[in-house]
Amino acid sequence: MENKVKIVVATHKKYAMPNDEMYLPLHVGAALHPDIDLGYQKDNLGENISQKNDSYSELTGLYWAWKNLDTDYIGLAHYRRHFGSKHRHGKERLNWVIKSNELLPMLDQYSVLLPKKRHYYIETLYSHYEHTHYSNQLDATREIISEKYPDYLATYDEVLGKTSGYMFNMAIMKKDLMDQYCTWLFDILFELEKKMGSTELSAFQQRFYGRVSEIIFNVWLQQQIKWGNISPTQIKELPLVYVEGVNWWKKGTSFLKAKFFHQRYENSF
């Protein structure tokens, strides 16, 4: 299994990790905190963008995995969010995380494995972002796509008008597909950095490169499906496990406040 699949688990602190050799805990943003040693693989070793973690979030982990792992499949999860198993035992949520004996057989059938889609129902991907973050970030991204990847533009507009999508930058993909996606993604994000320049945002809001990528992953995926590079039958949705659980009341009220009163998010849920 060593060269079959590795799923990096992005974390910035010591945390309980899945007890399975396919998971690789990865200390993201290690370059920004050289005095901290979590005992995990650090994302500032090898080819990396670790120093961008305060704005790219878990994407510094994705970049590190893309550039430094040599496995047939590469995946990204989070210390609090994981791909779930259909076999859930007990109340300990970490035990609900999918294990290699369940995942490996799927890799013979699927090329892309994703957490279940997130549905906003009364918001499009664009309007939700507009209400919770800053829509000029998406507008600038659209400009870049129109200039550098015009074949994706119609799909961008289509996806941004949808009320659901794959979120959290979580995916397990064949290495060649991950290479294609990351080449496209980081080319856009590095250009977005040049376009946006310095911004005076809160620590929470300045992590927008990671949020933009959540949305445009759906653009890339939908375009590959349109072109026939990925068949819908090659895509597998897996349950999403929140290890700490979710305060749905707080999450729901914040969602409604953002939509109706334009109160932007200032923390994760």
Side-chain angles (χ1 to χ4, degrees):
M1 190 191 72
E2 183 177 350
N3 292 317
K4 186 67 174 178
V5 58
K6 276 294 181 187
I7 301 173
V8 297
V9 182
T11 187
H12 62 280
K13 62 182 180 180
K14 196 77 173 177
Y15 204 78
M17 294 289 170
N19 184 24
D20 192 297
E21 62 178 329
M22 75 175 175
Y23 290 102
L24 177 63
L26 182 66
H27 180 187
V28 294
L32 302 177
H33 305 282
D35 55 324
I36 296 176
D37 186 359
L38 302 178
Y40 301 144
Q41 172 67 52
K42 296 184 177 184
D43 74 343
N44 64 335
L45 301 176
E47 191 170 349
N48 69 87
I49 56 169
S50 179
Q51 75 283 358
K52 296 181 184 290
N53 183 257
D54 58 357
S55 56
Y56 277 61
S57 295
E58 66 275 357
L59 291 185
T60 66
L62 179 64
Y63 189 95
W64 182 89
W66 169 41
K67 292 295 188 179
N68 295 284
L69 290 181
D70 182 20
T71 54
D72 296 338
Y73 283 76
I74 292 174
L76 174 68
H78 305 250
Y79 70 100
R80 293 188 302 132
R81 297 189 186 102
H82 288 275
F83 294 99
S85 168
K86 65 179 180 180
H87 307 294
R88 297 190 175 189
H89 305 289
K91 295 182 179 181
E92 177 56 53
R93 288 175 176 267
L94 201 60
N95 293 332
W96 300 356
V97 177
I98 195 167
K99 295 179 174 58
S100 54
N101 61 357
E102 184 179 349
L103 181 67
L104 285 173
M106 296 181 188
L107 303 185
D108 295 327
Q109 183 178 355
Y110 302 105
S111 300
V112 182
L113 298 96
L114 302 166
K116 286 189 177 295
K117 276 188 177 180
R118 192 171 190 181
H119 294 267
Y120 296 100
Y121 300 107
I122 60 174
E123 289 271 48
T124 64
L125 296 185
Y126 185 91
S127 68
H128 180 62
Y129 196 99
E130 181 179 33
H131 293 149
T132 56
H133 306 298
Y134 294 88
S135 59
N136 66 316
Q137 297 156 2
L138 290 180
D139 298 338
T141 302
R142 187 184 188 278
E143 290 178 10
I144 293 166
I145 289 176
S146 71
E147 295 166 1
K148 305 195 72 165
Y149 300 97
D151 290 346
Y152 284 78
L153 191 58
T155 303
Y156 179 91
D157 291 337
E158 176 186 325
V159 167
L160 272 288
K162 291 181 179 293
T163 58
S164 64
Y166 297 110
M167 293 293 136
F168 310 120
N169 290 314
M170 291 174 62
I172 303 167
M173 284 198 283
K174 277 188 172 179
K175 186 175 176 59
D176 62 332
L177 291 176
M178 185 64 82
D179 179 67
Q180 293 170 36
Y181 169 60
C182 287
T183 299
W184 178 86
L185 171 68
F186 288 105
D187 185 41
I188 292 171
L189 295 183
F190 293 160
E191 192 65 30
L192 184 61
E193 272 194 274
K194 297 176 186 176
K195 186 179 285 285
M196 297 301 294
S198 60
T199 56
E200 293 185 4
L201 298 174
S202 67
F204 177 79
Q205 287 290 349
Q206 76 177 1
R207 302 201 296 266
F208 65 86
Y209 296 102
R211 298 191 182 101
V212 168
S213 66
E214 288 185 272
I215 292 178
I216 66 173
F217 170 78
N218 294 275
V219 177
W220 177 84
L221 181 64
Q222 188 60 38
Q223 191 65 51
Q224 305 317 305
I225 292 172
K226 284 184 177 181
W227 283 341
N229 297 335
I230 298 175
S231 166
T233 61
Q234 294 177 282
I235 301 171
K236 173 69 173 176
E237 290 189 5
L238 296 173
L240 179 65
V241 172
Y242 289 87
V243 176
E244 296 177 352
V246 179
N247 185 332
W248 291 108
W249 171 257
K250 183 178 180 181
K251 192 178 184 72
T253 54
S254 295
F255 173 81
L256 293 174
K257 286 178 181 178
K259 177 174 176 57
F260 295 110
F261 301 106
H262 307 294
Q263 294 184 17
R264 291 186 172 92
Y265 291 173
E266 281 301 338
N267 55 268
S268 299
F269 303 100

